[in-house]
Amino acid sequence: MRETNIARRIALLLSGTASALVAMPAAAQTADAATTAGAAGEETIVVTARKREETLLEVPIAVKAFSSASIQDKLAQDIVDLADFTPGFQIQEAFGRDGDRPVMRGASNILFSDGKVGIFLDGAPYFGDFSSLDLANVDRVEVIKGPQSAVFGRGTLSGAINVVLQRPGDELKGKITGAIGNYDRRELSASLSGPIVEGVGFQVGAKYFDVDGQFKNSAVPGERLGDQNTKQFTAALFLDPTADISASVRWLHQEDDDGHFAIGLQPSSANNCYLTTRPYYCGVVKAPKSYGLNTDRLLHSGLDRNADRFIGDISWDIAGSGYEASFQAGYSDLVEVQGVDQTYDDRAFLFLPAALCGTSYYALPNQDCSKSSFEATSGQHRKTQTYEARIASPGKDRLRWRIGMFWSIDKTTPNADYLELNEVGPELLDDTKRVKNRAYFGGVDFDVTDNVTIGAELRHQIDKVRNTTPSYRVGDVFSPEYLATVTLPDPDQIVGTPGVRKATFKATLPRFTVNWKAADDLSFYAQYSQGNSPGGFNPVRAPESTYDEEKLINYEIGLKTSKFGFDYLNVSAFWQDYKNQVLTNTYVANNIVDSYSVNIGRTRIRGIEVEGGLPIIGRTLKLQFNYTFLDSEIRKGIEAERALELMGSACKTGSAVNLDLPGCRNAASIAGNRPPLVSKHTGSVGLRFQHDVTDGWTFFSGLDVIYRSSYFDQVLNLAESGNSTKLNLQVGVHDDEGLRITLYGKNMLGDDSPAGILRYLDFPAPRTPTGDYARAFGITPARKAEYGLTISKSF
């Protein structure tokens, strides 16, 4: 009750602030880092989107940059929050802070993040999920849109995000931030940087973050779903022994300890279309009214993640000539454990008929009938090494060039400590996956005139993918005492068939650009670029054992200006040809339910992005806005389930779908459909207000309305999320000495459109008329309204 009263008081205060925001003739100066060079009195923003320093006006690609002040102004906790203010960028958090699904410019991403949108720390690849990557001690975040493979390499088919970390200055500086909020939100961070002696500097930081889940777990009394806890520590040493040499080494340590995420199953009984063939749900899905997950039956519930990352670099201005040689090395060590109740509801059902499990009809070696195969816990250990060397000519020459070489090895090993015996016997170990990447790259820019620059970049990369399927002896993992309690105990049973699968993928990826700086505050650019995501292997039991390389070709034009009264105005239009797009599907084999990757065909994507900042009353009342229109259409592709919906069992031979039967391949076509998770319209509008209230003190407030149109769950274009509108508000004061106090509210309208939709199966339900498992949908709820107070002090 006390929390409810606090929330109401904050809501009333924020509502009053919103009214004052519109009525008062003064407003805050935007903290958005996307202000371009040339605007009177505005800071020139320098980005490293092409791994060299350029202003936003000069760089001939679409970049959205957020400074540390802008991140604070947007109430952003992580990159997921920044996506709301980035044209062309969406993220669905369907599985908590694991299994990120970023979608850049319509390139859909269903169950994994590697390969589509790359994440980098100071230009070094960041491997693993990034939704818990904290932004407390960063200098800026650069969201770089369109294929970035020519510059950043593997895993940047549709874009890249470069997180630029803070560096020390000539003076000792620090910042302390504390926050509290509803759902027992607690946050404390601190950073300190500065010189040690001449030529040597340091930076240290720490953060603690904790918040309770927003949803009660009806299956486990007293438990809340969606708890999040993070501890982060950073340390860095910077060396400038001479005027020509600089070096640094960084360490980042992060621990995540999250409870099970909230998700609920919309059962097959809700299906409302194709009821006589392959029933499905058509229309906007319904968010469950309650959530029940059997977390007490999991070996480990929720997410534990422990990561250490190291980045070292050195650069040398060769004898002061302007020619620069640089080298960067990165290393990360990531250990993760994730436990999920994959029934997504409280029925705690078994895959096998409970009454028959363990009987002569369903007796399997080492079978534990008390354990559902849906109660899954897995662990993995991921180690990566990256190395990059490059040489670049002086940046002020009319002809500028750079060449380099990159090498990396990324290995993920399953953890046998979390193997279990269940209703179908011993669990299988996942494959050990290793990817070696070697690349050679270069680029050249030439100033044709003082105002026109042309550029060309090229990267040739070789990916060697190796999947090793392991096996193990049951008696080496499980104790004799435990085996004595299960069906047909056999300590000598060998689980898994050892094997090795290898593949090599080669790609040559270009980018060509033209930039015309028509005036100091106006530039136009055009670009042609290619991006790729290498293929790989599915589980050996999947219907398709491999998937092919994806390729995306991008044509783009744009303008950047601070004319016409704008602080900044950026407009881009693009057309993309997306070949062999990889999405996922579900299969059942040997009593195991899993997902596999599949190439769906060919997709055409067209879009327009607009963003700007406009003073309404001088520098006191300002408008911020962004909008994206995406026309994304599958031009060629098939989906077997579509044929079942239209033609039923006429497209099956026995229990298998057979698209070679008359009319079935045409019926399976998904041409004309929109790719999943892609909204046609997204955007936000914000107002910023600031007014000096007394000597040394300033009052500020802000309002943001964030909109996302409906997206489909899958390529069938039947179930969809519905439109979403969120309202964020803030009010506060700051002084000239670095003290800032902010009262905020996020999603104050209580928008409840789902954060994610997972096409799934309702296993206990009766089979469909085609003999298949009934369709159901895992619905991840949106976060509820959040309120809080943040206090920070810079010195």
Side-chain angles (χ1 to χ4, degrees):
M1 178 64 79
R2 181 183 176 187
E3 182 179 275
T4 302
N5 290 336
I6 293 174
R8 287 175 177 170
R9 292 173 186 171
I10 294 175
L12 288 172
L13 179 56
L14 288 167
S15 299
T17 302
S19 301
L21 177 65
V22 178
M24 294 182 65
Q29 174 185 347
T30 178
D32 201 325
T35 304
T36 55
E42 294 288 353
E43 179 186 3
T44 299
I45 302 301
V46 175
V47 296
T48 53
R50 296 197 294 174
K51 292 200 172 183
R52 63 182 189 271
E53 292 188 349
E54 299 172 285
T55 68
L56 278 174
L57 193 67
E58 294 170 336
V59 64
I61 54 179
V63 182
K64 176 68 174 180
F66 297 90
S67 68
S68 57
S70 178
I71 293 170
Q72 177 179 257
D73 177 67
K74 297 294 189 291
L75 304 175
Q77 180 75 28
D78 47 38
I79 292 174
V80 176
D81 289 336
L82 293 182
D84 288 338
F85 304 97
T86 304
F89 188 27
Q90 292 179 255
I91 298 180
Q92 277 78 34
E93 277 194 297
F95 310 103
R97 298 196 296 178
D98 192 55
D100 298 328
R101 304 197 294 179
V103 178
M104 191 81 80
R105 287 185 167 180
S108 299
N109 206 342
I110 298 298
L111 286 179
F112 59 94
S113 59
D114 289 354
K116 310 273 189 169
V117 179
I119 306 295
F120 299 83
L121 296 180
D122 280 346
Y126 177 98
F127 292 89
D129 296 293
F130 59 81
S131 56
S132 66
L133 175 61
D134 192 77
L135 305 180
N137 297 311
V138 306
D139 183 68
R140 67 181 180 276
V141 175
E142 302 168 356
V143 183
I144 313 162
K145 292 170 287 183
Q148 302 302 315
S149 301
V151 175
F152 286 93
R154 193 178 200 275
T156 58
L157 174 134
S158 59
I161 300 172
N162 187 31
V163 179
V164 182
L165 304 173
Q166 291 179 348
R167 299 182 68 92
D170 296 331
E171 299 178 354
L172 187 68
K173 292 184 178 180
K175 184 176 181 180
I176 299 175
T177 301
I180 58 172
N182 58 340
Y183 301 106
D184 282 338
R185 185 185 192 94
R186 293 168 293 169
E187 184 177 332
L188 181 64
S189 65
S191 64
L192 186 67
S193 66
I196 300 175
V197 296
E198 185 176 353
V200 180
F202 78 98
Q203 186 272 329
V204 293
K207 180 167 182 177
Y208 170 80
F209 165 73
D210 182 74
V211 64
D212 288 349
Q214 296 186 342
F215 301 90
K216 294 181 179 179
N217 186 1
S218 61
V220 180
E223 182 181 59
R224 301 192 71 89
L225 298 170
D227 291 352
Q228 295 180 355
N229 179 282
T230 292
K231 297 177 183 176
Q232 178 175 290
F233 306 95
T234 62
L237 189 65
F238 301 86
L239 305 174
D240 296 296
T242 71
D244 301 333
I245 297 176
S246 64
S248 69
V249 60
R250 292 182 179 273
W251 167 65
L252 297 91
H253 174 78
Q254 185 161 327
E255 301 173 17
D256 297 321
D257 182 10
D258 294 358
H260 200 298
F261 55 89
I263 188 170
L265 196 70
Q266 178 177 291
S268 59
S269 58
N271 291 339
N272 57 7
C273 54
Y274 302 103
L275 298 180
T276 61
T277 52
R278 180 72 166 101
Y280 210 87
Y281 184 82
C282 295
V284 176
V285 297
K286 309 298 182 184
K289 296 182 178 180
S290 63
Y291 299 86
L293 297 169
N294 301 288
T295 57
D296 54 341
R297 294 172 58 89
L298 294 170
L299 185 63
H300 174 89
S301 177
L303 170 68
D304 271 351
R305 184 162 47 209
N306 195 307
D308 285 286
R309 294 182 170 88
F310 300 86
I311 303 172
D313 62 71
I314 184 170
S315 62
W316 175 33
D317 183 353
I318 304 173
S321 63
Y323 289 87
E324 184 179 56
S326 61
F327 176 78
Q328 183 182 69
Y331 175 77
S332 67
D333 190 321
L334 171 68
V335 177
E336 181 174 296
V337 179
Q338 172 79 299
V340 180
D341 175 11
Q342 294 183 348
T343 63
Y344 301 138
D345 68 10
D346 58 3
R347 285 178 285 180
F349 54 77
L350 301 178
F351 186 86
L352 300 178
L356 298 178
C357 183
T359 67
S360 58
Y361 189 77
Y362 275 124
L364 301 171
N366 299 308
Q367 180 185 40
D368 186 347
C369 291
S370 67
K371 184 72 174 179
S372 169
S373 58
F374 294 98
E375 296 157 4
T377 299
S378 62
Q380 65 177 20
H381 189 183
R382 186 172 186 177
K383 290 185 177 182
T384 59
Q385 303 173 52
T386 64
Y387 305 92
E388 181 177 285
R390 60 172 58 216
I391 299 177
S393 66
K396 295 183 179 181
D397 287 357
R398 185 178 183 185
L399 176 65
R400 302 174 295 280
W401 55 264
R402 59 239 173 237
I403 58 173
M405 178 179 178
F406 176 87
W407 182 84
S408 71
I409 181 169
D410 177 24
K411 184 176 181 180
T412 302
T413 305
N415 190 336
D417 293 341
Y418 296 95
L419 289 169
E420 296 181 82
L421 305 180
N422 58 42
E423 56 177 316
V424 297
E427 292 181 330
L428 294 171
L429 266 176
D430 291 334
D431 286 358
T432 295
K433 303 175 183 178
R434 189 192 69 186
V435 178
K436 288 185 176 180
N437 175 262
R438 186 173 74 251
Y440 308 91
F441 59 87
V444 61
D445 291 296
F446 178 67
D447 295 333
V448 180
T449 69
D450 290 343
N451 299 324
V452 177
T453 300
I454 59 175
E457 296 158 298
L458 189 69
R459 189 183 192 97
H460 178 71
Q461 64 182 25
I462 303 167
D463 288 285
K464 293 186 176 182
V465 181
R466 176 189 175 104
N467 275 39
T468 303
T469 303
S471 64
Y472 67 92
R473 177 180 173 272
V474 169
D476 294 334
V477 176
F478 302 98
S479 70
E481 293 77 14
Y482 174 47
L483 291 178
T485 67
V486 302
T487 304
L488 302 178
D490 180 6
D492 293 322
Q493 180 186 3
I494 302 299
V495 182
T497 302
V500 176
R501 294 179 289 171
K502 301 179 182 179
T504 299
F505 302 90
K506 298 181 180 180
T508 301
L509 303 159
R511 179 162 67 186
F512 302 100
T513 57
V514 178
N515 194 42
W516 172 36
K517 192 175 181 181
D520 288 342
D521 53 3
L522 174 65
S523 70
F524 299 88
Y525 71 88
Q527 177 193 137
Y528 168 86
S529 57
Q530 293 184 11
N532 86 316
S533 178
F537 297 103
N538 286 312
V540 294
R541 305 171 303 279
E544 297 183 26
S545 61
T546 63
Y547 55 93
D548 295 330
E549 175 186 69
E550 299 174 278
K551 185 175 182 179
L552 190 147
I553 299 175
N554 177 68
Y555 305 88
E556 182 174 349
I557 58 174
L559 72 86
K560 302 177 182 182
T561 187
S562 54
K563 285 182 174 295
F564 318 117
F566 288 94
D567 282 341
Y568 63 96
L569 176 65
N570 303 324
V571 181
S572 59
F574 53 89
W575 184 93
Q576 297 181 146
D577 184 14
Y578 192 3
K579 301 177 181 179
N580 288 330
Q581 180 175 5
V582 172
L583 295 176
T584 57
N585 213 329
T586 303
Y587 70 95
V588 180
N590 299 326
N591 298 323
I592 298 296
V593 183
D594 206 346
S595 296
Y596 69 102
S597 298
V598 60
N599 300 97
I600 66 166
R602 192 166 187 167
T603 303
R604 183 210 65 200
I605 305 171
R606 298 180 295 191
I608 297 174
E609 298 169 347
V610 182
E611 64 168 332
L614 180 67
I616 296 177
I617 303 176
R619 296 179 59 86
T620 55
L621 179 62
K622 289 199 174 186
L623 173 71
Q624 303 170 355
F625 61 90
N626 73 79
Y627 168 72
T628 302
F629 168 77
L630 273 178
D631 177 18
S632 186
E633 181 181 307
I634 299 171
R635 306 305 296 273
K636 180 181 180 182
I638 59 174
E639 167 65 33
E641 188 163 1
R642 184 62 175 160
L644 293 180
E645 290 171 347
L646 295 178
M647 300 184 65
S649 297
C651 290
K652 297 190 78 171
T653 300
S655 61
V657 179
N658 185 355
L659 296 182
D660 292 328
L661 293 172
C664 292
R665 189 164 296 275
N666 287 337
S669 173
I670 52 173
N673 287 5
R674 192 194 313 166
L677 308 187
V678 177
S679 296
K680 196 168 189 177
H681 305 278
T682 58
S684 69
V685 177
L687 288 171
R688 291 300 181 270
F689 160 82
Q690 175 172 287
H691 183 68
D692 293 337
V693 293
T694 186
D695 188 27
W697 285 90
T698 301
F699 173 80
F700 65 88
S701 59
L703 174 152
D704 290 295
V705 178
I706 303 159
Y707 176 78
R708 184 211 67 213
S709 66
S710 187
Y711 61 81
F712 291 109
D713 73 312
Q714 266 291 352
V715 293
L716 299 175
N717 283 193
L718 299 175
E720 58 182 301
S721 67
N723 300 332
S724 167
T725 302
K726 295 188 295 185
L727 173 66
N728 295 349
L729 291 173
Q730 59 177 303
V731 57
V733 293
H734 68 80
D735 67 6
D736 296 339
E737 303 298 324
L739 177 63
R740 182 183 180 94
I741 303 172
T742 307
L743 198 62
Y744 69 85
K746 299 175 70 173
N747 190 23
M748 290 193 59
L749 298 179
D751 177 81
D752 61 356
S753 62
I757 310 172
L758 172 66
R759 180 175 64 173
Y760 204 58
L761 299 171
D762 192 346
F763 292 93
R767 296 291 184 101
T768 69
T770 60
D772 298 288
Y773 285 103
R775 273 291 176 211
F777 300 87
I779 311 299
T780 303
R783 293 191 66 83
K784 297 180 180 180
E786 298 175 275
Y787 310 95
L789 173 69
T790 300
I791 302 176
S792 63
K793 172 64 177 178
S794 301
F795 56 90

